[in-house]
Amino acid sequence: MLSRLFRHKDALWPTLAVIGYILLTYLSGWMLALTDNPWLALLAVPLLAHAMVIAAYMVHEAAHMAVFKDKKHNRWFAECMLWICGMNYSSFDDIAHKHNRHHSDRADIVSFDFRPKLANHPKFLRLLQILEWFYIPALELMMHALVVILPFIKPDRKQRRTRVIVVSLVRVSLFSYLIYLSLAVLWVYPLAYLLFLTVMRFMDVHQHTYELYETLDQKRGPEARLRDRAFESHNTYSNLLSVSYPWLNLLVLNFCYHNVHHDKQLEPWYRLPKLHQQLYGDNTEQLLTFRHLVKSFHKYRIPRMLNADPIDLNVKKDEGESFIGVDGVSFLTAH
């Protein structure tokens, strides 16, 4: 009976396994964080971070209606996952709307482009650049903070104020109680959250050479029909953690098989490696390797903040080392 709820007939056990993993690592992380042993508390950092990473990618699955048949079940499930990964200031509907516009328009769709605005505030930009130099994902923190701030300064987002206020009160109350139980929470959770944001960003920045449009809060216009499937394929990249050991890609729930995901958006995460092999085989034209991407991620961490790579960039000429990438395009920030 339970299996009938799922989008795919073979989804029951993979989905139960991933939910079990999320709950096990998340609850274990909090148990360790609340101990008096600082070494055990330190172990909580990767556990909490990885629970948030996998929960976030299950939100992505639900945004494509790839978990359950019924939209309401995908919504309920994703809302639970958003609480785990700390992104519940945005509603699932807003996240799904933005991400599906990314797919349908074949572009990065946002409500506003922060790049020219940051360039007009050099002191604030300089602060962000200093933090980024130390590998603190300051720009991502800003983008997530704007989820809370924008409903109070953008009239067309004022209907989101109640959710932001209620979620903020609940999260502050819960966090205060956890601090009361253990002061280690003051450093464990921030470190886990920064690690989570860094992983999510690393997976995002090199997956596309897309144009950016400030049309999220508008109806789809003629610009949404400018790009075809060939454009999408040519400007989309898979960034596998490992080609030789595909099981390592489960660390990011196979999100790195990105080109095949754009080919078959309803395919669940556990089918992507096999489908990738069927569709592409040994063709590595749209495949970027982890070793080169780590170099690029490090080398361009400051220039990337205001960068927008040109479309049809010849990324493969040096295996991605000159591919700067783009920041601030997370599917979790619904603005």
Side-chain angles (χ1 to χ4, degrees), residues 94-109:
D94 282 345
I95 289 171
H97 170 67
K98 178 186 177 181
H99 189 64
N100 286 314
R101 282 287 301 274
H102 163 72
H103 279 275
S104 63
D105 295 12
R106 297 181 173 113
D108 288 320
I109 307 299

Side-chain angles (χ1 to χ4, degrees), residues 289-317:
T289 60
F290 179 75
R291 179 170 61 90
H292 292 95
L293 291 177
V294 167
K295 291 181 181 179
S296 175
F297 189 77
H298 159 75
K299 182 178 179 180
Y300 298 115
R301 65 191 186 280
I302 305 302
R304 186 181 299 115
M305 296 175 68
L306 300 180
N307 179 64
D309 287 304
I311 60 173
D312 296 323
L313 177 70
N314 186 7
V315 170
K316 292 290 288 186
K317 67 179 181 181

